[in-house]
Amino acid sequence: MTVTIHDVATLAKVSISTVSRAFTTPDLVKPETRNRILAAAGELGYHPAGGPRKPANRTGHIGIIVSDLDNPFFTGVLNGVQARARQDDVAVLFANSDQDPVVEENLARNMAKQVDGLVLCSPSMSDDHVRDLARQTFVVLLNREIEGIPSVVMDSPGGMHQAIQHLAALGHRKCAFLGGPRNSWANATRLSGLRPAAEQHNIEVVEFGPFPPRFEGGLQGADLALAAGVTAIITFNDLVAFGVLARLNARGVPVPDEISLVGFDDLVFAAISAPPLTTVAMPAEAAGRAAVNVLLALLDDDHRVSTNQSLDTYLIVRATTAPPRS
């Protein structure tokens, strides 16, 4: 059944003319109203005139842009993307933005001319730039949410709550969080789970950062955490955690005897680090599959597939967490 502007107006509880203005002259519509309309359009799979249309002659290609190909998390995402695309004989073009929003936007606009639709993985460009791109081609976000844009996310707040709950059960009462990039959506969602969970379990959290989401960030942050007198450290991701492990080892601080450590992502190296890393598992490959599934459904006008999905995360307890020393 074709979705019309009337359906969007009904769901958003506004007039048809307001829906029209939200897409044609958005500056004339209040932000809260515009966001409600975009969310309704995304839920219904509505695409206005001038927005992306299913290509008359499909290329058989889709594109994905990741923010940091050096991070093995994105390798997992790409594996899922390619596996799902292969099922429908769709080729995948991919590019790496190196966490640069200007590079990312240029890549996206150029790639949009060559593919039927795009998956943007952890994009750093602004909401407005993403919305503008989504008027030109089909876009699915992975590890980012913007109202009105189809997305696949992983439950980082829930994963962070599990990490805090685990540390509280072990008896920790003061921990550090080594955060990621300043404007990172992923960092904000982790904090949105960390802060209320810490309050609920009576744990004092000392926040440090921003740090680059790489090994070097952990080397830098470990000394700050030690100086704060915490008994546990939670990191933005596993790469930062590996840096923490290296720095603590260099300083002769045993993990978990002197301090506990929790990562985020569950990279393949987490299980074989020394000691094996306790971490929150993020379903990167499943998210890649789901994002392509959403994109292909949009191209096929298949309304059976939800355009906004959230995947579960879970804590994997290994050898870097233990009760604090008395």
Side-chain angles (χ1 to χ4, degrees), residues 158-285:
M160 187 62 78
H161 187 276
Q162 293 175 57
I164 287 292
Q165 188 177 42
H166 171 62
L167 292 174
L170 291 174
H172 293 275
R173 290 295 173 262
K174 185 176 183 180
C175 75
F177 176 65
L178 305 187
R182 186 183 307 278
N183 297 319
S184 164
W185 180 88
N187 192 65
T189 59
R190 284 158 170 65
L191 286 172
S192 73
L194 172 70
R195 289 166 177 164
E199 182 177 357
Q200 177 184 346
H201 293 284
N202 297 314
I203 291 182
E204 177 187 353
V205 176
V206 186
E207 298 177 17
F208 295 104
F211 297 110
R214 298 176 177 173
F215 184 86
E216 293 77 12
L219 295 176
Q220 181 183 356
D223 291 331
L224 298 175
L226 284 176
V230 301
T231 61
I233 301 172
I234 302 175
T235 62
F236 172 75
N237 66 13
D238 285 354
L239 292 180
V240 175
F242 297 149
V244 171
L245 272 177
R247 182 58 180 161
L248 294 179
N249 182 62
R251 290 191 53 176
V253 179
V255 175
D257 295 342
E258 288 288 344
I259 195 164
S260 288
L261 178 63
V262 179
F264 226 94
D265 282 346
D266 191 34
L267 301 180
V268 64
F269 309 111
I272 59 176
S273 62
L277 180 67
T278 294
T279 184
V280 175
M282 298 277 278
E285 185 168 338

Side-chain angles (χ1 to χ4, degrees), residues 24-211:
T24 58
T25 53
D27 292 342
L28 299 181
V29 181
K30 292 180 180 180
E32 59 269 25
T33 303
R34 184 172 69 248
N35 289 337
R36 191 165 75 249
I37 292 169
L38 293 173
E43 181 178 338
L44 295 171
Y46 173 75
H47 300 288
R53 294 288 187 183
K54 185 167 65 173
N57 297 304
R58 299 229 322 230
T59 66
H61 298 86
I62 61 172
I64 177 170
I65 299 174
V66 301
S67 61
D68 184 6
L69 202 53
D70 289 334
N71 186 337
F73 170 80
F74 295 105
T75 304
V77 170
L78 286 172
N79 286 340
V81 165
Q82 291 178 315
R84 176 62 186 89
R86 195 179 303 121
Q87 291 177 344
D88 279 31
D89 294 322
V90 172
V92 179
L93 307 182
F94 73 90
N96 177 29
S97 70
D98 284 323
Q99 303 180 63
D100 185 325
V102 175
V103 170
E104 181 178 72
E105 184 179 359
N106 289 333
L107 284 171
R109 294 193 185 281
N110 289 329
M111 190 179 285
K113 303 171 185 176
Q114 309 170 54
V115 298
D116 299 323
L118 289 171
V119 174
L120 301 180
C121 187
S122 300
S124 54
M125 70 176 90
S126 70
D127 289 6
D128 287 342
H129 285 153
V130 173
R131 288 195 177 102
D132 185 50
L133 181 66
R135 295 187 185 102
Q136 303 171 42
T137 189
F138 289 94
V139 171
V140 175
L141 301 176
L142 199 164
N143 206 31
R144 171 90 176 266
E145 281 184 309
I146 298 174
E147 281 193 286
I149 308 295
S151 64
V152 174
V153 299
M154 290 156 278
D155 184 16
S156 292
M160 187 62 78
H161 187 276
Q162 293 175 57
I164 287 292
Q165 188 177 42
H166 171 62
L167 292 174
L170 291 174
H172 293 275
R173 290 295 173 262
K174 185 176 183 180
C175 75
F177 176 65
L178 305 187
R182 186 183 307 278
N183 297 319
S184 164
W185 180 88
N187 192 65
T189 59
R190 284 158 170 65
L191 286 172
S192 73
L194 172 70
R195 289 166 177 164
E199 182 177 357
Q200 177 184 346
H201 293 284
N202 297 314
I203 291 182
E204 177 187 353
V205 176
V206 186
E207 298 177 17
F208 295 104
F211 297 110

